[in-house]
Amino acid sequence: MRTILHCDCNGFYASVECTLKPELKNVPMAVCGNPENRHGIILAKNDLAKAYNIKTAETIWQAKSKCPELVLVQPHHDLYQKYSDRINEIYKEYTDMVEPFGIDESWLDVTASKNLFGSGVEIADKLRERIKSELGLTISVGVSFNKVFAKLGSDYKKPDATTEFSLENWQEKIFPLSVGDLLFVGHKAEEKLNSLCIYTIGDLASSDQKILINHFGKMGETLWIYANGLDTSPVISPCENDDVKSVGNGNTFKKDLTKWEEVSFGVKCLSESVATRLRKKQLKCSTISVAIKDPEFKTISKQKKLLYPSYISREITTCALELIKSYWPDGKPIRTITITATNLIKEDEDISQLTLFEDDKKINIKREKLEKLEETLDMLKEKFGDTIGNLHS
């Protein structure tokens, strides 16, 4: 089963402005397109402005009529983009499957990251805490088994909250929600659905597909699929169609690692995550790079070629540990480890297993068994969750 997060920055533009000018936190304020133009529109507002029922996209004169003392701030789009990029970089420390949805929202597929960082809810809470402490902003996060319900989750409770819609609770929590809360159901579509006596997401889920298709075309079928929790759309990175140059994962540990067994466990978790992503992308790597940062933030990086192109976690783990042994003094504290697979080739381009030599054939048979074992584990994890991975050592 997949674990998808939808992360939504709370009052993004206004929050960035208040972070830069803390005095704005103490007054009702709004970011607007043109403060000199009464017909300009409100782009974002802080919590004090929300208390006056000021809404995004209403005109400045409408907002001012509700709150005459409203402080208007000109937008700084370059700055917002920098904050957005930084937030997405934090997301990418937990998964390389990040799909921005506008400047202040992103989907994350953390299915392959749970062994390393914890459950979807635990990852969501870590992200909320990091973005708050490092950037001074808050996010709301939805956690679910598909993108549509994750998006519903991030809207369900604000600000600075985590909401999970699981296989066990989604019908109880989602079916009573207004049909207008569903992704891509705009005001006009909601009115049309209401005219068909469809008021809640539960009503939509139990509706006749043929009637929906007659009124909405192909989109009617899509909305029915969404309401029934059957969305299977993948999280797609903006670079998904580009040639992938590397696949990596890193972690900054809560306490410095000094014991070899701690280092070994951390490397094993990181390597399994990297190997899983390689298999999903149908790629094999020929080189492993390991970067280590010490408590003084000094980073040393080394790389090593594998004997064969691989996406086998055991081989990546072994290579990474051999690298660390070769250049990092035993017992010296480690703050961060990053493992990166490079020199990638497509799975079907691997010719290393084509050999005439008997000894090589035996090695290849063993490696093929390991590949099939880990591919089978991928399928089992997808179906039953990551706990199945505890059977594999």
Side-chain angles (χ1 to χ4, degrees), residues 188-203:
K188 292 293 184 184
E190 183 179 11
E191 286 184 345
K192 195 168 184 180
L193 287 165
N194 290 169
S195 72
L196 298 172
C197 296
I198 298 172
Y199 299 99
T200 67
I201 294 176
D203 294 338

Side-chain angles (χ1 to χ4, degrees), residues 9-32 42-50 54 56 70-77 79-80 83 103-104 135-138:
C9 298
N10 303 135
F12 183 52
Y13 291 0
S15 296
V16 172
E17 297 291 346
C18 288
T19 298
L20 297 173
K21 298 178 181 177
E23 63 271 17
L24 292 175
K25 296 179 182 179
N26 302 318
V27 297
M29 63 81 66
V31 180
C32 53
I42 302 296
L43 301 176
K45 66 278 182 189
N46 68 1
D47 288 337
L48 290 176
K50 289 178 186 176
I54 292 170
T56 300
L70 182 69
V71 176
L72 301 176
V73 178
Q74 186 174 349
H76 299 89
H77 294 289
L79 187 63
Y80 306 149
Y83 269 80
I103 196 170
D104 59 346
L135 299 175
L137 305 178
T138 63

Side-chain angles (χ1 to χ4, degrees), residues 115 268 272 377 380-381 385-393:
N115 274 344
K268 181 176 182 291
E272 286 182 350
L377 283 168
L380 291 172
K381 287 178 183 179
D386 281 346
T387 52
I388 195 74
N390 295 331
L391 304 174
H392 177 49
S393 61

Side-chain angles (χ1 to χ4, degrees), residues 203-358:
D203 294 338
L204 180 60
S206 61
S207 297
D208 188 325
Q209 278 193 70
K210 292 181 180 178
I211 294 175
L212 293 172
I213 293 170
N214 285 340
H215 285 83
F216 295 93
K218 181 68 176 176
M219 193 61 192
E221 180 184 16
T222 299
L223 293 178
W224 184 90
I225 289 171
Y226 286 175
N228 280 281
L230 302 175
D231 168 47
T232 59
S233 58
V235 173
I236 302 175
S237 164
C239 301
E240 190 78 13
N241 296 324
D242 297 340
D243 289 336
V244 179
K245 303 299 182 184
S246 65
V247 174
N249 204 351
N251 188 36
T252 298
F253 302 97
K254 290 183 178 179
K255 67 180 185 70
D256 295 340
L257 307 184
T258 55
K259 297 180 181 178
W260 181 247
E261 56 264 33
E262 295 173 337
V263 176
S264 298
F265 180 77
V267 167
K268 181 176 182 291
C269 292
L270 288 167
S271 298
E272 286 182 350
S273 174
V274 170
T276 299
R277 295 175 190 177
L278 285 170
R279 290 191 293 272
K280 281 191 173 184
K281 296 176 183 293
Q282 297 181 313
L283 296 171
K284 292 186 176 183
C285 67
S286 298
T287 303
I288 296 298
S289 170
V290 178
I292 294 181
K293 184 185 294 181
D294 66 19
E296 281 70 49
F297 300 96
K298 181 181 178 182
T299 300
I300 300 178
S301 180
K302 299 285 184 181
Q303 63 180 34
K304 181 178 179 180
K305 285 188 69 69
L306 294 165
L307 289 174
Y308 310 93
S310 179
Y311 52 32
I312 298 172
S313 63
R314 292 186 188 184
E315 294 180 345
I316 295 173
T317 300
T318 299
C319 181
L321 290 174
E322 288 175 354
L323 258 176
I324 294 173
K325 276 281 191 183
S326 72
Y327 77 88
W328 195 263
D330 189 32
K332 182 178 178 180
I334 294 175
R335 178 179 175 83
T336 302
I337 299 177
T338 301
I339 295 176
T340 306
T342 60
N343 290 337
L344 307 181
I345 61 170
K346 293 180 180 178
E347 178 184 8
D348 57 10
E349 293 176 356
D350 180 12
I351 61 171
S352 64
Q353 294 177 337
L354 302 176
T355 178
L356 299 174
F357 299 103
E358 201 62 32

